Amino acid sequence: MSFFNEKSILETINMIKVHNLDIRTVTLALSLRDCCSDNAKDVGEKIYNKIIKYAKHLYKYASEIEEEYSIPIINKRIAVTPVSLVGESCKEFDYVYLAKVLDSAAKEVNVNFIGGFSALVEKGCTKGDTALIESIPEALKETQRVCSSVNLASTKAGINMDAVKKMGKIIKQTAEFTKDKDGIGAAKLVCFCNAPGDNPFMAGAFHGYGEPECALNVGVSGPGVVRAAVENMPKDADFGELANKIKQIAFKITSTGELVGRRMAEKMGIPFGIIDLSLAPTPALGDSVAGIFQAMGLEHAGAHGTTAALAMLNDAVKKGGIMASSYVGGLSGAFIPVSEDAGMIEAAKKGVLSFDKLEAMTCVCSVGLDMIAIPGNTPDTTISGIIADEMAIGMINKKTTAVRVIPVPGKDVGDYAVYGGLLGEAPIMKVNSLSSAAFVNRGGRIPAPVHSLNN
């Protein structure tokens, strides 16, 4: 039996032409562990040369595959070894310089973003980790394509509250350093719990320590396809039938991504890594995760029942997608970024989607609080409190969670932050005005939960 009969092929073509099915990203994952040296200039030269060597044809081959299969590949990206690990080999740290090297190499090979200006500090910071974190505001101000991430917690280690406290200040400073662009620097910075080392999506992509020399990772999308499929179901279809239909669609979306990923890896002469099954929305009308909730019967994202709808969607996508690939990884599920989802933007603008509801939804989505614009005068300790809450959800539930909030300088609730492209735009959302300062300032580490002791 073949899944690729005439009806299936025509349906896939329709997904691409009408419902915004695309390959959201092909991401070259590259180890920089052999770029260490005691001199920052030498490290920078090694990093630049290695990226050029491996990625020089990335854009060209992706464009050829787009034409060959008539499937849009929206982003071409690179993810590298956490730069804190590479840069701390130097006698004198200069992480801003290394960020500029990454940016220059990314520009040379014509990729959209390069991720890996990162540190993994869930249990504590080395000198290199601390230096990188403190350089983030300046580094993101001075670069265009560099993305940064910091892993602050894990189910095994607990939550590094000293780093959580520091990141509240770093996020504020990063936004302030790019205030002329509505704090866009903070849109390229994400805090993680249980960060995966094979994630192809920005801003959190990096090449994990246990990963191979290089690999080609793929992130698929297609919320518009899922929404259309749900809308075409009979109005009295029950949730079992809805879930089954979503699984079928996820299988086809993932099969398309698998085909593109393996062909791309073959052309580049590198191993195929993983396919990330995520439903990643865009600001385009019809390409919205929030639109799927409405197709299921909710008046809008944020209505009671939204979390249940998201849980069912996330599970069905994984069940369908995992049957189409032997190498599933990354984040895999449904993203709920406010500024990047037309339905989420509309719900937030109408005031029917609150910050607290978004936090509840992160218990069952694939990432967390994503691309949320908040008032520029939000205290850094409040941002740290937001991060701590989200880290706790990930730690306790053994899942990846993340925080990418943007305290937009000079703007308040009722104003708009505008970024353009895939980053979209967002109304400034209200956050709780109660103080978190005394709690955050305790510092130390919140211990790992008892179920982490499962060796």
Side-chain angles (χ1 to χ4, degrees):
M1 182 181 72
S2 173
F3 288 101
F4 300 103
N5 54 35
E6 183 179 350
K7 181 181 177 182
S8 177
I9 292 170
L10 289 174
E11 185 176 24
T12 302
I13 292 171
N14 197 48
M15 289 178 183
I16 296 167
K17 293 189 176 296
V18 180
H19 300 304
N20 300 309
L21 174 62
D22 56 51
I23 305 303
R24 185 53 46 87
T25 181
V26 289
T27 301
L28 170 65
L30 185 62
S31 173
L32 301 182
R33 286 162 56 181
D34 58 350
C35 295
C36 293
S37 175
D38 62 1
N39 181 280
K41 300 297 181 184
D42 291 342
V43 172
E45 184 177 354
K46 290 181 179 181
I47 288 174
Y48 184 87
N49 290 338
K50 188 165 188 180
I51 291 172
I52 300 301
K53 175 184 175 181
Y54 279 87
K56 61 183 177 181
H57 297 310
L58 179 64
Y59 185 91
K60 173 188 172 185
Y61 290 157
S63 298
E64 289 176 357
I65 288 173
E66 279 187 287
E67 186 173 344
E68 182 179 351
Y69 293 110
S70 298
I71 299 171
I73 300 175
I74 304 302
N75 292 287
K76 297 84 178 173
R77 298 167 172 170
I78 298 171
V80 299
T81 305
V83 172
S84 67
L85 299 175
V86 183
E88 68 183 356
S89 64
C90 304
K91 292 180 179 178
E92 295 183 7
F93 300 143
D94 193 347
Y95 284 103
V96 173
Y97 164 72
L98 296 181
K100 291 179 179 179
V101 169
L102 293 174
D103 200 51
S104 179
K107 182 178 180 181
E108 177 64 26
V109 298
N110 200 22
V111 296
N112 306 89
F113 289 113
I114 185 165
F117 196 73
S118 307
L120 312 179
V121 299
E122 57 267 28
K123 208 168 185 178
C125 294
T126 65
K127 292 178 181 179
D129 293 330
T130 299
L132 181 135
I133 289 171
E134 291 177 350
S135 75
I136 287 173
E138 183 72 19
L140 296 185
K141 174 188 175 185
E142 295 295 328
T143 59
Q144 301 297 315
R145 307 181 191 214
V146 172
C147 290
S148 181
S149 61
V150 183
N151 195 69
L152 302 172
S154 72
T155 298
K156 282 289 189 182
I159 305 172
N160 182 347
M161 287 301 294
D162 291 326
V164 167
K165 176 183 175 181
K166 181 183 285 288
M167 286 308 300
K169 296 177 180 178
I170 293 295
I171 290 169
K172 282 271 288 189
Q173 191 178 9
T174 301
E176 187 63 31
F177 276 25
T178 52
K179 62 183 178 181
D180 58 324
K181 298 179 180 177
D182 280 347
I184 194 171
K188 297 186 289 178
L189 171 59
V190 59
C191 298
F192 270 118
C193 173
N194 293 322
D198 56 3
N199 166 26
F201 285 103
M202 302 296 171
F206 65 88
H207 190 57
Y209 193 82
E211 296 293 311
E213 177 72 10
C214 61
L216 195 285
N217 297 327
V218 175
V220 295
S221 188
V225 177
V226 175
R227 177 192 55 77
V230 173
E231 284 181 339
N232 289 331
M233 294 284 288
K235 298 302 180 184
D236 59 351
D238 66 24
F239 284 107
E241 293 171 310
L242 284 181
N244 195 49
K245 185 62 177 179
I246 293 170
K247 286 191 294 182
Q248 293 173 7
I249 295 298
F251 180 92
K252 291 175 181 178
I253 291 172
T254 307
S255 297
T256 303
E258 178 93 352
L259 172 67
V260 168
R262 290 194 177 278
R263 181 76 178 105
M264 183 80 181
E266 180 185 352
K267 286 178 78 75
M268 295 187 70
I270 62 174
F272 173 70
I274 59 94
I275 186 163
D276 189 313
L277 309 178
S278 298
L279 290 182
T282 73
L285 292 176
D287 200 28
S288 164
V289 170
I292 301 173
F293 304 151
Q294 290 176 289
M296 289 182 184
L298 296 173
E299 184 175 349
H300 227 310
H304 294 299
T306 301
T307 306
L310 180 57
M312 190 270 279
L313 173 65
N314 217 40
D315 182 65
V317 167
K318 291 182 179 181
K319 285 176 178 174
I322 204 167
M323 296 300 294
S325 176
S326 297
Y327 298 104
V328 173
L331 299 164
S332 290
F335 286 13
I336 52 170
V338 174
S339 79
E340 299 175 12
D341 186 307
M344 294 287 185
I345 294 169
E346 184 182 357
K349 184 178 180 180
K350 289 182 176 180
V352 297
L353 181 64
S354 68
F355 197 97
D356 290 341
K357 183 60 176 178
L358 282 165
E359 183 181 301
M361 292 164 66
T362 65
C363 296
V364 297
C365 79
S366 65
V367 192
L369 296 168
D370 197 15
M371 285 303 291
I372 302 173
I374 61 176
N377 62 0
T378 304
D380 59 82
T381 50
T382 297
I383 296 173
S384 293
I386 290 169
I387 295 170
D389 283 343
E390 198 60 29
M391 298 300 100
I393 289 171
M395 175 183 72
I396 294 296
N397 291 291
K398 302 181 182 179
K399 71 184 292 292
T400 301
T401 52
V403 174
R404 186 164 48 148
V405 294
I406 307 157
V408 184
K411 293 192 175 181
D412 208 338
V413 177
D415 295 327
Y416 251 76
V418 180
Y419 302 110
L422 283 177
L423 296 180
E425 60 182 52
I428 311 299
M429 297 188 71
K430 180 182 178 181
V431 297
N432 198 311
S433 61
L434 297 174
S435 175
S436 308
F439 174 79
V440 169
N441 287 331
R442 287 181 180 273
R445 180 157 55 96
I446 293 179
V450 65
H451 58 244
S452 68
L453 300 174
N454 58 358
N455 289 335

